[in-house]
Structure formats: C-alpha cells, structure tokens
Amino acid sequence: MPLHSSSILNFKPAISNAMRKKFVTGLWIIFFLLMFDFSINFMFPYPSDPLATSPGQLNTYFEYGRSIEGKLSRMVGSTDELSSPIAIAGWLDPELWKKLNIPVSRTSDKDLLIAIYGMSFSNQVGTAMEEMDSRLMIRAIAGPAAPPNYSFAAYNLDRGKHQADIVILGLLASSVKGLRTLNGMTWQFEGPAPYTYPRYFLEDGKLKAISPNVMSLAQLRAALQNKQQWNAFVNQLKEHDQFFNGFIFQKKWLDNSVIIRLIRRALAQRYQLTLTNQIHSTTGFNAESEIPVLRAIVNEFGATAKADGKMPIVLILNDRGYEDHLFQALKPTLENASIPYVSTHNIVPANDLSNFIGDGHFTPKANKLIAQEVLKLLNEHFNRVN
C-alpha cells in the first residue's frame, strides 16, 4: 500500500531521532574510551628511565603492547652506562667480552677450560658444573633466549681467542624459531632484546650467512639517531627477518594509546604463534623448515671444533612444550658425525613441570642433573677421575 505524504512526514523525525540517539551513544563511548586511555596512562605510567627498576605489574602489563621501536627508545640511553641491562646483553662483540673479564685460559689450579655458547639455560648449566667440580673454569658467552644461529655465530667469532679444551654449543628448543631472524627483538615482542646475529641459509648444500647491518650497541645507538642508517636496518629486517611485522615493530604516535597497545599485543601474540606453528607442532619440528640449516650448523660446529683440537659437545635444552623434539631432529646428524651430546629430555623431561621454575628456566636441582651428565661425558673423554 502506498504511503500518504503525511505518513512520510511523520516517519522522517522517527529516523532522525534514532540516528541522533546512536550518534550521541557513539560520542559517549568515544568519550569513555578516551577517559579510560588517559586514566590508565596517568595512573600506571611506565618509567622513561632505562635504569628504572620494579615499575609495577600493571605498569608493565600496559606497556607490553608498545611497538618494538618504542621500547627501544626507552631501553637505549645516550651511553652504555645509561642503557638498560637488556639493551647491553648478548651483543656479539669481542670488545664487550673483554670488559666482562671472562677467562681466556685456565689458571694453574684448574685442569679444564670450557667455552659455552648459548643463553641463560646453558649459563646455568655451566655454573652448576663449576660448583660441582672445582677444577673447571667456564667461559660463557650468551644472549637472552639466544637461538642456535646466535650460539653458532658466537662460537665462530670466538675461535682463536681462547684456550678452551671443550666447546659447548647450547641449543634451546623454544628458540629454534629464531633461526628465521636477525635479532632478539622481532620474535620476542613482549620482552625484546636488541642484540643481533646472522641469519644462516643453505646454498648448494653449504652454509651461508646474512650479517645484520647493526652489530653492536654503539652501532644501534648511532642508527637510532640517523634516519638513513635506521631505515637501512629496518629494510634489511623486512627482507630477511621472517618475524618482522611493520605494525608490531615500527613506532607511531598511536604508541601513546593504551587501547592500541592492548590491541597490538594481542595481534603480535597471534602473528608470532602462527609463524611458530610453521616451525614446530605438538608432533615435532617441521623437517622442511629450519631443521636442515640447524643440522648444517651442528655439523660445521663439530667439524671445526675437532679441527681446532677441541672437544665439541652439543647441549640440547628441551624446555616446556617441546618434549624430545629437538633431540629427535638432530639425533641422526649427531650420531653420523660422531659429535658428543647431552640432551635434557631423558634427564629432566620437559613434560614434568617440577623440573621448571615460574619463569620457564630449569630448577637448580635440574641444572645439577644436566651438569652431571655433561661432566660424565668430558670426564670419560679426558680420563678424569671424579
């Protein structure tokens, strides 16, 4: 039935009133979101001082979603002394290693010097070994949650700079995904570590490396202050770092919004989980993903260490959620190349949560059990008596 003109006139105000109510409601929603954003920033500010400690749980929670560049600007001070500890940690810089006074040769009261390349997990095993055997000295070089390419690059860079009898390559199962990266930032969004390292790939069956444009904290600081240098570094990450994501990495004015930070954190978690699932699943590592490169790394590590007259040991650290998957991926390579190894899966199983503390590291007891197996291996090789 056609509408009379009077009906149409009466209908228009009804539409107008409905739209007006929605518009007003929308304005109120925007107002309350802005107030929420402002209030959270005001009540839970994150300290701008890189050396500030204990900012508080809520302050930290609302900071997690800041862009990587935004976090970097807060970590890196005008000097090393004014930079946060995480900004300083892990750089593949022999000059930095000298400043750390890590031993180059053993003293007369020691019978073995062991060089360990890895992360905090491998460092803790090394510390446990020293505590259990006073005749040992440990030369430990590590980066936060460092992936295998970091461990291998550190080992290569350190060759000829020490007199260690044994070299240990620490491989952490959860960090294997870092083989796809050039730095400790892109794949560790919530707690990025700025240190860099090469990305390895295979060409005609041989290991090749892509070296990062930034190789030290001093170079990073200089790049952050030089737009051209920084853009070159970011472009390199875009091309060669598979965990790079512009929205997650690059700093925008929206970093100031709590809501955007919460959204970015959620998107980053989903994005990084998707990439991780391409490399590892509940059944094991994808044999066609990074494992061929890792096997080549292990092979070259063993061959070069033996050529240098040193005992190589591959230390496989199986953390929570990874069962014995890394061991299974590397077992044929280790056995075919006769490379001594210790894998934690049958010492402190990854599916037994009592072997771990809250932050994911092994318990002191677990570290001692792992250290005991490494000591057994080297004692047999050197005919040492406990």
Side-chain angles (χ1 to χ4, degrees):
M1 175 184 289
L3 291 173
H4 295 291
S5 59
S6 59
S7 300
I8 295 173
L9 290 173
N10 291 333
F11 189 56
K12 283 183 178 179
I15 295 176
S16 180
N17 287 336
M19 290 181 66
R20 189 180 297 112
K21 287 180 180 179
K22 288 182 180 179
F23 179 72
V24 172
T25 301
L27 286 178
W28 277 111
I29 291 171
I30 292 171
F31 172 77
F32 283 116
L33 285 175
L34 290 173
M35 286 300 297
F36 168 79
D37 216 304
F38 175 81
S39 300
I40 294 297
N41 273 325
F42 178 77
M43 291 188 295
F44 305 105
Y46 196 82
S48 57
D49 181 2
L51 300 178
T53 57
S54 303
Q57 289 185 347
L58 283 174
N59 308 66
T60 302
Y61 175 81
F62 290 116
E63 179 68 9
Y64 279 135
R66 188 173 296 276
S67 68
I68 292 173
E69 282 185 348
K71 290 171 184 171
L72 267 183
S73 66
R74 295 189 168 188
M75 282 185 216
V76 181
S78 56
T79 65
D80 287 3
E81 291 73 21
L82 295 176
S83 299
S84 71
I86 195 69
I88 298 170
W91 290 96
L92 293 171
D93 184 355
E95 293 304 314
L96 175 63
W97 300 343
K98 288 179 183 178
K99 292 178 183 178
L100 295 175
N101 293 318
I102 51 180
V104 173
S105 59
R106 52 188 166 87
T107 55
S108 58
D109 60 327
K110 310 292 183 180
D111 68 347
L112 287 177
L113 173 63
I114 304 172
I116 304 178
Y117 307 95
M119 69 306 296
S120 54
F121 282 81
S122 54
N123 277 3
Q124 290 175 6
V125 173
T127 298
M129 289 169 63
E130 272 188 310
E131 291 173 351
M132 296 169 71
D133 190 334
S134 60
R135 297 168 296 171
L136 299 178
M137 290 184 73
I138 301 294
R139 176 179 175 83
I141 295 174
N149 36 337
Y150 173 94
S151 302
F152 184 58
Y155 158 75
N156 276 325
L157 192 59
D158 203 35
R159 286 179 69 192
K161 295 181 175 65
H162 59 81
Q163 297 174 23
D165 307 281
I166 301 144
V167 286
I168 297 179
L169 189 72
L171 305 177
L172 181 64
S174 62
S175 293
V176 168
K177 56 181 171 284
L179 282 164
R180 290 185 165 195
T181 69
L182 286 160
N183 65 92
M185 299 178 287
T186 54
W187 61 286
Q188 300 184 88
F189 169 72
E190 292 187 7
Y195 70 95
T196 62
Y197 43 78
R199 179 177 178 184
Y200 293 96
F201 63 97
L202 290 173
E203 187 176 279
D204 298 327
K206 295 183 179 180
L207 269 181
K208 302 289 183 180
I210 300 166
S211 296
N213 291 338
V214 172
M215 293 292 291
S216 68
L217 180 55
Q219 290 180 12
L220 177 67
R221 185 179 292 112
L224 286 169
Q225 297 169 357
N226 184 304
K227 188 175 181 180
Q228 186 176 357
Q229 291 180 22
W230 184 248
N231 286 341
F233 179 52
V234 172
N235 287 335
Q236 184 187 42
L237 297 183
K238 286 180 181 177
E239 184 176 359
H240 298 295
D241 191 312
Q242 290 190 338
F243 272 78
F244 180 88
N245 176 287
F247 178 67
I248 295 170
F249 190 92
Q250 293 173 300
K251 181 180 179 181
K252 305 291 183 183
W253 66 270
L254 289 172
D255 259 11
N256 296 317
S257 167
V258 172
I259 294 170
I260 294 299
R261 296 202 297 268
L262 292 172
I263 292 171
R264 185 189 282 113
R265 185 189 185 193
L267 291 175
Q269 288 176 338
R270 182 174 181 179
Y271 175 75
Q272 297 190 338
L273 181 61
T274 298
L275 290 178
T276 300
N277 288 342
Q278 294 174 6
I279 300 165
H280 177 264
S281 69
T282 54
T283 59
F285 283 96
N286 181 351
E288 297 179 0
S289 182
E290 307 309 308
I291 295 304
V293 172
L294 184 54
R295 288 170 177 163
I297 284 173
V298 168
N299 255 326
E300 191 162 321
F301 165 72
T304 53
K306 291 174 183 178
D308 292 344
K310 303 181 186 302
M311 178 189 183
I313 298 177
V314 172
L315 176 59
I316 301 174
L317 299 149
N318 307 279
D319 47 340
R320 290 183 296 190
Y322 286 84
E323 309 298 331
D324 66 343
H325 300 164
L326 185 55
F327 170 71
Q328 294 298 339
L330 293 178
K331 182 181 178 182
T333 302
L334 293 165
E335 293 184 347
N336 290 338
S338 299
I339 301 172
Y341 65 86
V342 169
S343 177
T344 63
H345 74 281
N346 57 3
I347 307 168
V348 284
N351 59 1
D352 184 350
L353 297 184
S354 68
N355 289 321
F356 300 91
I357 60 176
D359 66 1
H361 286 90
F362 288 118
T363 64
K365 180 181 177 181
N367 281 319
K368 288 181 179 179
L369 291 172
I370 300 165
Q372 195 172 50
E373 290 302 311
V374 179
L375 287 171
K376 180 180 177 182
L377 199 62
L378 63 88
N379 285 342
E380 290 174 355
H381 181 87
F382 289 96
N383 295 316
R384 295 169 83 241
V385 179
N386 288 334

